[in-house]
């Protein structure tokens, strides 16, 4: 028997995990459940008990690859199962509310991928269920994994220590380009009924959470703009868009390709936000910059082991951003991994998330971010959507006729106010 399977002498309690979903996030969470116990001293012993997916064959093959002991095709069965103490939800947003509420009511802890839900009403139900469950010692957490990228955790620590003085401005960008090609296929992520929103909820939600996490301040007011550049895309044989065959049929894209918004931040700071899947050439560039009266910190997750720090109090002849490699044992999470300088990647944040969740569960403490925090992010996202739908704050810069485009150029994108004026 391998040491991993010989549990007899281990005094720690078991944490049987059921994972719902085996796509991108299912893979990320699977590796985290397997890796975190090997690198961190966890107070409970996670067991990769059940993998749940509707496609029986695909679920079995993913379970064999990732080390899940058994599979189910209906999540309701694991919610009732005695060998499951925690349900980890990695299925599309439209499924979150039903699974999370049922699991919490059945006494299972819940980890739920972000964004918490597809609507504020769903997120409210989930937060209520989590509050009621917490009274019974059953705990819920939302998976904003980027909080656990060492550079972002360290930025939070620096800002809390006063390293940038009084916060003035935040610049937050999340740039991807997988929707640049108009012939790229439909997936559930482009369907509002399944995903809730597009770039806004999928990657803009990370920006909102990361900014609030680093600054410790909430976004209080927003003004937003959403746009879908490609409104129809080819349908594939499989809705998930992986491994399907091309078809001549086209599906309607019902979510935003790009979301841009400005925000007022508690305490008087200003924020600009951009979340887009059409930033040609940018693959997964999450960039944050926090400017204060005494300094600034900047992060670019395409260089995720680094943080740039500017100290406005340095001697004038030494002013400038310094790059700190966030891999010293003194940096968040780093001591459990490799020797100084050897670096971490995207997946490590998910292992850190498992580590922090298990530690909180063993202590009977609320893991963060809670469902209440997930609900607050959902409210910000919905406010951006409402603001974008209400074009009344757009101000045309000139009468439409004052600007004549050369015929060879594509038609100008019309602002909501110009469109309203023209109709
Ligand atoms: C998961 O945290 C996630 O937000 C995915 O849902 C996005 O698609 C990915 O690009 C970033 O990570």
């Amino acid at each position: 028997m391998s040491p991993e399977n010989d549990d007899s002498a281990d005094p720690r309690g078991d944490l049987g995990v059921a994972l719902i979903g085996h796509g991108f996030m299912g893979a990320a969470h699977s590796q985290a459940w397997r890796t975190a116990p090997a690198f961190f001293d966890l107070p409970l012993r996670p067991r990769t008990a059940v993998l749940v997916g509707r496609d029986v064959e695909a679920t079995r093959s993913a379970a064999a690859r990732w080390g899940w002991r058994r599979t189910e095709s209906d999540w309701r069965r694991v919610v009732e199962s005695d060998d499951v103490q925690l349900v980890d939800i990695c299925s599309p947003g439209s499924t979150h509310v039903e699974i999370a509420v049922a699991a919490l009511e059945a006494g299972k802890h819940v980890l739920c991928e972000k964004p918490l839900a597809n609507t504020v009403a769903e997120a409210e139900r989930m937060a209520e269920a989590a509050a009621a469950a917490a009274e019974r010692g059953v705990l819920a957490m939302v998976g904003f994994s980027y909080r656990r990228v060492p550079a972002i955790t360290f930025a939070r620590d620096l800002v809390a220590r006063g390293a940038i003085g009084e916060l003035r401005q935040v610049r937050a960008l999340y740039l991807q380009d997988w929707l640049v090609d108009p012939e790229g296929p439909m997936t559930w992520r482009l369907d509002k009924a399944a995903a809730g929103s597009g770039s806004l909820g999928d990657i803009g939600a990370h920006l909102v959470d990361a900014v609030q996490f680093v600054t410790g301040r909430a976004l209080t007011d927003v003004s937003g703009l959403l746009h879908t550049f490609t409104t129809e895309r080819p349908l594939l044989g499989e809705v998930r868009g992986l491994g399907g065959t091309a078809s001549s049929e086209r599906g309607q894209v019902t979510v935003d390709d790009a979301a841009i918004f400005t925000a007022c931040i508690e305490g008087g700071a200003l924020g600009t936000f951009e979340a887009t899947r059409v930033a040609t050439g940018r693959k997964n560039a999450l960039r944050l910059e926090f400017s204060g009266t005494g300094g600034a910190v900047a992060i670019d997750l395409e260089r995720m082991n680094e943080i740039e720090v500017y100290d406005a109090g340095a001697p004038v002849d030494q002013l400038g951003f310094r790059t700190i490699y966030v891999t010293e044992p003194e940096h968040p999470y780093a001591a459990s991994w490799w020797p100084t300088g050897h670096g971490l990647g995207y997946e490590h944040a998910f292992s850190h998330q498992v580590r922090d969740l298990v530690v909180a569960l063993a202590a009977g403490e609320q893991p963060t971010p809670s469902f209440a925090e997930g609900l607050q992010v959902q409210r910000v996202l919905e406010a951006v959507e409402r603001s974008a739908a209400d074009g009344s704050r757009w101000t045309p810069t000139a009468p439409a006729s004052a600007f004549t485009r050369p015929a060879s150029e594509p038609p100008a994108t019309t602002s909501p106010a110009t469109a309203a004026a023209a109709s």
Side-chain angles (χ1 to χ4, degrees), residues 19 29 53 78 95 110 116 193 196 257 340 346 353 380-381 388 410:
L19 177 71
H29 285 228
V78 304
T95 65
V110 171
L116 184 58
D257 288 334
T340 299
Y346 173 74
Q353 180 168 277
V380 174
L381 300 178

Side-chain angles (χ1 to χ4, degrees), residues 149-152 154 304-307 324-328 331-332 334 341 344:
V149 171
I152 294 186
F154 189 52
M304 62 163 55
N305 289 287
E306 298 173 9
I307 178 169
I324 299 175
Y325 215 49
V326 195
T327 60
E328 299 296 334
H331 288 129
L344 302 185

Side-chain angles (χ1 to χ4, degrees), residues 42-61:
L42 300 182
L44 297 172
R45 190 175 48 218
R47 246 183 327 96
T48 45
V50 199
L51 181 65
V52 184
R54 279 176 306 181
D55 179 333
V56 173
E57 266 323 298
T59 310
R60 279 197 191 132
S61 134

Side-chain angles (χ1 to χ4, degrees), residues 20-26 54 89-96 113-115 117-118 178-179 185-199 201-203 233-236 238-242 252-256 277:
I20 322 282
H22 51 81
F24 173 20
M25 280 306 106
R54 279 176 306 181
I89 306 173
C90 288
S91 42
S94 55
T95 65
H96 289 186
E113 252 307 313
K114 45 51 61 181
N118 279 3
W178 59 279
L179 290 181
M186 272 299 288
T187 83
W188 68 265
R189 288 177 186 270
L190 306 182
D191 174 16
K192 191 171 175 62
S197 68
S199 289
D202 186 34
I203 55 178
R233 289 180 176 272
L235 287 174
L236 289 186
E238 285 176 41
V239 176
R240 277 184 59 237
L242 296 173
Q252 197 70 33
V253 174
T254 46
V255 299
D256 55 285
R277 292 157 164 174

Side-chain angles (χ1 to χ4, degrees), residues 167-188:
L167 180 71
R168 289 261 167 89
Q169 273 187 261
V170 173
R171 275 155 237 108
L173 306 175
Y174 200 151
L175 313 175
Q176 299 182 342
D177 75 351
W178 59 279
L179 290 181
V180 168
D181 179 359
E183 291 307 305
M186 272 299 288
T187 83
W188 68 265

Side-chain angles (χ1 to χ4, degrees), residues 214-264:
V214 170
T215 63
R217 297 172 187 204
L219 274 55
T220 57
D221 299 82
V222 292
S223 174
L225 178 60
L226 302 179
H227 194 71
T228 309
F229 293 94
T230 304
T231 53
E232 285 185 352
R233 289 180 176 272
L235 287 174
L236 289 186
E238 285 176 41
V239 176
R240 277 184 59 237
L242 296 173
T245 46
S247 117
S248 55
E249 271 186 83
R250 300 184 85 78
Q252 197 70 33
V253 174
T254 46
V255 299
D256 55 285
D257 288 334
I260 298 175
F261 59 99
T262 52
C264 301

